[in-house]
Amino acid sequence: MHESARELALTRRELTLRRERERLAADLHDLVIQRVYALGLSLSMLARRHPELRDQLEPLVQETDLVTGELREVIFDLRHGPTTLQALGELARDLIEDSSRVLGFEPDLHVLGSADAPIGEDVAHEALAVLREALSNVARHAGASAVEVSVGVQDGDVVIRVADDGARDVAVPSADGHGLRNMRARAVRLGGQMDIARPGRGTTVTWRVPTCERGSVDAPDGVEGLDQVE
């Protein structure tokens, strides 16, 4: 009886802790991260409308992106233990809901693969950062009316694909090269790759890396020029 009572107390304590972690994660998402994310996109759009202010506004945009990414990592750690495709898909859905407030519509999300497929924690963090950057690019530059996002595990790789129907001549502007370089560098560091296709109208970004990190890979020489369309 003593052992059963002890196990019951431990179970109750674990449930209480889990509920508190979930409450904290929800508060961070609903009360903080949405506002920071929207602020960053608003600053970016302001810089686009007023090129003379770009040098002053761009550091603020980058800082809000960093803050948003760090907050998402905290939420990720609060909500999840071992990372699976299902967990990554849930976080991707949260991110998409945030971006819809600025895009004016909600992108379609497809989660492809086995729900319990394991994904390295570092890989999951990087995948979410890339998805956030890709959606930010669409909101800032593409003038799109529809976006399709797929998050999946295929042949041992995590695959993130973002396809928009935006204007071809502004979907990947040179002014946004810094973000694209970061996305490409994240893939290279994890032993993967990123491809950009522009089939007629719109742009499709495909980011693919192994599900578990296989050791960091230094970015190749000339990475600064990797934002060019292939």
Side-chain angles (χ1 to χ4, degrees), residues 138-190:
V138 174
R140 294 168 184 167
H141 307 294
S145 60
V147 178
E148 287 195 5
V149 176
S150 64
V151 177
V153 173
Q154 180 181 24
D155 298 329
D157 290 341
V158 172
V159 181
I160 306 293
R161 183 172 290 109
V162 179
D164 68 71
D165 66 348
R168 178 169 180 156
D169 58 342
V170 297
V172 189
S174 59
D176 199 50
H178 178 75
L180 291 173
R181 284 195 297 271
N182 283 345
M183 293 163 66
R184 187 77 62 106
R186 291 177 190 274
V188 171
R189 186 179 71 79
L190 295 173

Side-chain angles (χ1 to χ4, degrees), residues 7-22:
E7 290 179 359
L8 180 59
L10 289 174
T11 299
R12 287 176 174 171
R13 185 181 305 171
E14 177 63 26
L15 287 173
T16 300
L17 179 59
R18 187 178 303 171
R19 292 192 187 106
E20 182 63 16
R21 289 163 66 94
E22 184 62 32

Side-chain angles (χ1 to χ4, degrees), residues 52-215:
E52 70 278 8
L53 298 178
R54 179 169 292 163
D55 289 343
Q56 289 79 19
L57 293 175
E58 188 60 28
L60 299 178
V61 173
Q62 294 179 16
E63 185 65 22
T64 57
D65 284 347
L66 289 173
V67 171
T68 301
E70 290 169 356
L71 285 172
R72 287 199 183 281
E73 289 184 4
V74 172
I75 292 173
F76 187 96
D77 292 337
L78 285 171
R79 283 182 169 172
H80 299 283
T83 310
T84 62
L85 176 59
Q86 179 178 357
L88 181 60
E90 291 171 0
L91 290 169
R93 190 174 301 280
D94 287 344
L95 197 158
I96 285 172
E97 288 177 358
D98 292 343
S99 69
S100 66
R101 292 169 173 79
V102 179
L103 287 166
F105 60 88
E106 184 166 326
D108 294 328
L109 173 64
H110 308 279
V111 181
L112 309 174
S114 174
D116 58 357
I119 299 172
E121 183 176 343
D122 189 45
V123 172
H125 285 318
E126 297 286 17
L128 289 171
V130 165
L131 178 56
R132 182 178 66 252
E133 183 65 43
L135 290 172
S136 295
N137 284 347
V138 174
R140 294 168 184 167
H141 307 294
S145 60
V147 178
E148 287 195 5
V149 176
S150 64
V151 177
V153 173
Q154 180 181 24
D155 298 329
D157 290 341
V158 172
V159 181
I160 306 293
R161 183 172 290 109
V162 179
D164 68 71
D165 66 348
R168 178 169 180 156
D169 58 342
V170 297
V172 189
S174 59
D176 199 50
H178 178 75
L180 291 173
R181 284 195 297 271
N182 283 345
M183 293 163 66
R184 187 77 62 106
R186 291 177 190 274
V188 171
R189 186 179 71 79
L190 295 173
Q193 64 185 44
M194 186 184 83
D195 299 308
I196 303 173
R198 299 169 76 180
R201 182 176 177 85
T203 300
T204 299
V205 175
T206 303
W207 190 84
R208 176 189 293 267
V209 301
T211 54
C212 293
E213 187 176 2
R214 298 173 184 169

